[in-house]
Amino acid sequence: MFQPASIDVSMPMGAGRAPIRMEKSRQRRCAVAIATVSTPTRLAMTAFPSGTVTFLFTDLEGSTRRWEDHPDVMKEAMARHDSIVRTSIESRGGAVFTTAGDEFCSAFSEPTRALDAAIGIQVALEAEQWGAVAPFRLRMALHSGNADERDGDYFGQPLNRCARLLSIGHGGQVLMSAATAHLLAGLLPSGADLEDLGAHVLKDMDRPEHVFQVLHPDLPSAFPRLKSARAGLDAADLLAEGRQAHAARQWESCFVSLTSAGGFIELDSEDLQRLGEAAYWSGHPNEAVAAKERAYGKLTREGKTEAAALIALDLAFLYKYRLAAAISKAWIARAEQLVHGSGPSQAYGYLVRWKSVFAFESEGHVEEALALADETIAVGVALGDRSIEALGLMDKGRFLVATGRVDEGMLLVDESMVAAVSGELNADATGRNYCNMLAVCDQIGDYERAREWNDAAEGWCEQHSDSSYPGICRVYRAELKWLRGDWDAAAEDLRRAAGELVGYTPIIGAALYQIGKVDLRAGRLEDAATHFRSAHEHGFTPLPGMAQLRMAEGDLDAAEELLLDALLGDPPTLERARFLPTLIDTQIALDNLDGARRYLAEFTEIAQLCHSTAMLSEVADRRAALAVAEGRVQEAIGDLQEAVRGWTRLQMPFEVAQSRLRLGRLLRASGREAAGTMELEAAHSTLERLGVAGAE
């Protein structure tokens, strides 16, 4: 459950219908269900995806002329078309909710399934012999978003956007929005890739769309230019939209508008800085780096030393977390050259802050890091810059926590967060403080504090309309969701995080690891193994999850070996806390009760040091398991009751259910049938709601 936090973080008609013999209106689209030539058919499905949905819309190119020239052939061809499209969608878990003429509108809970269906349809259509009506090609569009589902139909802006995206494509082409591309990052099927077609203006849409084309060895790749209104919006309009969106912190809109403007004119240094910030917050890390590097070049040529130094420091952090240490150091050297001899300034404060983080994270020099954090705070106070001051407070707090001075450190973390949620800080400092707070709370298992600050930060979240918590921040926030039982939303956030973290390999591993943890809870052992292996390939140690998986598979020796190996080299106390609960489980299962007692004593001490309800509940649960192994059933019942109370307080339903299962069985075994049955019924009800009925 516990995750180390030693880095600064922030950052998928029926065959008999009448042929259509008139020109289809371009305004008729599945999204708005306007059928000028055919009445849409709504199809009753047993279940429709909810939450964030990936929509797949398809439309046959040039069907009107084919119906005019070959009505008999088209009738048979459309029957085959309908069968191929529907089968491909429904066999992959999609729901066809509207058909209109030769258009299909479908919804998927997973973007990977939607993409797989799109590729499958195109490949199947290409393999068919269409005779006189060849070539028989569909244009397709994929877009993801939240939409309302009522009575077997969907409503909302995402459907309109998907329909407009469909309208600019060509037969045989699969287009994808930026939202879906983000969700699919790192999850594309073998051989598939995405080609960036840039930003395009969609008719009647309030902001441009960043469009991607799906590439696959079995699909055509060469098409005419998209039929968008891109050239109809001039650079001045796009610049104005981008600047307005930046001021409103509508990051994705800002990113798309300024990127589009940059296709017509050369952006000045201020607009490049806006573009870099918008790219970062909307989850485009590569574009953020590129924009900031261009901004740096312009700023130095303009003699704007302070602004150039700040950009250099931003780039140093971005490259540091890509593990490009040499490039990161080079940017720091540039920043030092720019601020040398200039006296106290914002750039100097952020430079000291960078040195503090580097001393702690990269060199392990704790005392030096603490001294530099104090200097950061002092610079912030002297300048009256609350952002620099609060970042120093947060850094000092998390450094103290990592060294075992938990109470002292968390006071500073809380102080820094007060400044963040009260609107005293700039967006970057607020985001970094928020993410670091989540990381520290995760490190000590303080999910109560994390949830409280998360709720307090919702106002700030709402100001960032497109992407409040990019990258690693989304990983920690997703953990709060899956711990509280919202597994689907958590998995969606984690996949998006992995997409936002291109190049940030170990942190992608952290997101994949968390997806594996969700799989493990749901009993999807093969999926869990896949995600744990992938996390390891990305440089993240997938423990204790992999050990828990080995235990679930019955390989206790392997589980023990993995955990003991993780403890070699004497990792820091709070990092050891991640492994101890599962290690205690392995010792009890292997009948090594002396080892279980020893590790339980160590874990108890850490839990008390951290004042962590989650850790203390784990202690009570493991203490009960040891008591059962030693024949002390009544003591075990009391410990499990304590664990249930703790998990309930934390609103962690899976843990509550697991402890209730063990408690119910012990109560029954001790003759307390009614009480035991009540606990078991509650446990099974919770597990059934979570989708793992009967599982432990």
Side-chain angles (χ1 to χ4, degrees), residues 425-501:
L425 315 182
N426 61 38
D428 183 73
T430 301
R432 289 183 185 273
N433 274 7
Y434 175 81
C435 294
N436 278 314
M437 176 277 298
L438 287 179
V440 173
C441 290
D442 186 76
Q443 189 179 22
I444 63 174
D446 194 345
Y447 300 113
E448 290 172 288
R449 181 185 257 109
R451 186 169 63 246
E452 290 171 7
W453 281 123
N454 181 67
D455 293 343
E458 283 303 311
W460 178 75
C461 168
E462 291 170 1
Q463 296 175 21
H464 295 63
S465 60
D466 299 307
S467 177
S468 307
Y469 311 107
I472 186 63
C473 307
R474 202 181 300 280
V475 176
Y476 289 114
R477 194 166 184 244
E479 184 180 22
L480 293 179
K481 290 184 179 181
W482 64 257
L483 286 173
R484 296 181 70 174
D486 196 353
W487 294 353
D488 290 340
E492 175 189 321
D493 278 357
L494 290 164
R495 292 189 181 95
R496 184 172 180 182
E500 292 168 347
L501 288 161

Side-chain angles (χ1 to χ4, degrees), residues 212-512:
F212 297 83
Q213 176 183 316
V214 176
L215 302 179
H216 190 274
D218 297 325
L219 301 183
S221 59
F223 297 96
R225 293 181 61 181
L226 296 181
K227 297 175 285 187
S228 70
R230 183 172 188 178
L233 204 63
D234 63 25
D237 292 331
L238 290 166
L239 279 177
E241 287 184 1
R243 292 166 182 170
Q244 184 177 6
H246 182 273
R249 297 179 178 179
Q250 297 170 339
W251 303 119
E252 182 67 28
S253 295
C254 176
F255 171 74
V256 172
S257 294
L258 291 182
T259 299
S260 298
F264 299 108
I265 63 170
E266 184 176 349
L267 300 181
D268 64 24
S269 59
E270 291 185 0
D271 283 324
L272 284 170
Q273 290 178 81
R274 293 185 182 102
L275 176 58
E277 186 178 11
Y280 172 77
W281 284 106
S282 57
H284 302 274
N286 292 333
E287 291 84 352
V289 168
K292 288 177 182 288
E293 289 177 338
R294 290 166 60 201
Y296 173 84
K298 284 184 176 289
L299 289 166
T300 54
R301 291 192 293 273
E302 295 166 1
K304 298 177 180 177
T305 304
E306 175 85 357
L310 289 169
I311 290 291
L313 289 164
D314 282 346
L315 288 164
F317 271 104
L318 289 170
Y319 277 112
K320 179 178 186 294
Y321 298 121
R322 286 184 170 192
L323 302 183
I327 302 176
S328 178
K329 290 180 180 178
W331 280 112
I332 286 297
R334 289 285 184 91
E336 288 185 299
Q337 293 170 7
L338 291 168
V339 303
H340 180 69
S342 63
S345 64
Q346 272 194 331
Y348 178 76
Y350 283 109
L351 177 61
V352 174
R353 195 249 166 177
W354 189 94
K355 290 181 176 180
S356 174
V357 172
F358 184 81
F360 184 80
E361 296 177 3
S362 301
E363 298 181 333
H365 297 162
V366 179
E367 295 305 319
E368 180 185 354
L370 287 168
L372 287 166
D374 282 333
E375 186 178 354
T376 304
I377 297 167
V379 173
V381 172
L383 294 174
D385 191 318
R386 290 289 283 152
S387 294
I388 294 175
E389 180 187 356
L391 285 168
L393 287 168
M394 176 62 73
D395 288 335
K396 184 175 181 180
R398 64 193 183 96
F399 298 165
L400 290 171
V401 169
T403 57
R405 297 158 66 180
V406 176
D407 291 341
E408 185 181 355
M410 292 311 294
L411 284 173
L412 298 178
V413 169
D414 289 341
E415 183 180 350
S416 182
M417 282 304 298
V418 168
V421 301
S422 61
E424 299 178 46
L425 315 182
N426 61 38
D428 183 73
T430 301
R432 289 183 185 273
N433 274 7
Y434 175 81
C435 294
N436 278 314
M437 176 277 298
L438 287 179
V440 173
C441 290
D442 186 76
Q443 189 179 22
I444 63 174
D446 194 345
Y447 300 113
E448 290 172 288
R449 181 185 257 109
R451 186 169 63 246
E452 290 171 7
W453 281 123
N454 181 67
D455 293 343
E458 283 303 311
W460 178 75
C461 168
E462 291 170 1
Q463 296 175 21
H464 295 63
S465 60
D466 299 307
S467 177
S468 307
Y469 311 107
I472 186 63
C473 307
R474 202 181 300 280
V475 176
Y476 289 114
R477 194 166 184 244
E479 184 180 22
L480 293 179
K481 290 184 179 181
W482 64 257
L483 286 173
R484 296 181 70 174
D486 196 353
W487 294 353
D488 290 340
E492 175 189 321
D493 278 357
L494 290 164
R495 292 189 181 95
R496 184 172 180 182
E500 292 168 347
L501 288 161
V502 176
Y504 298 79
T505 300
I507 312 178
I508 293 175
L512 294 167

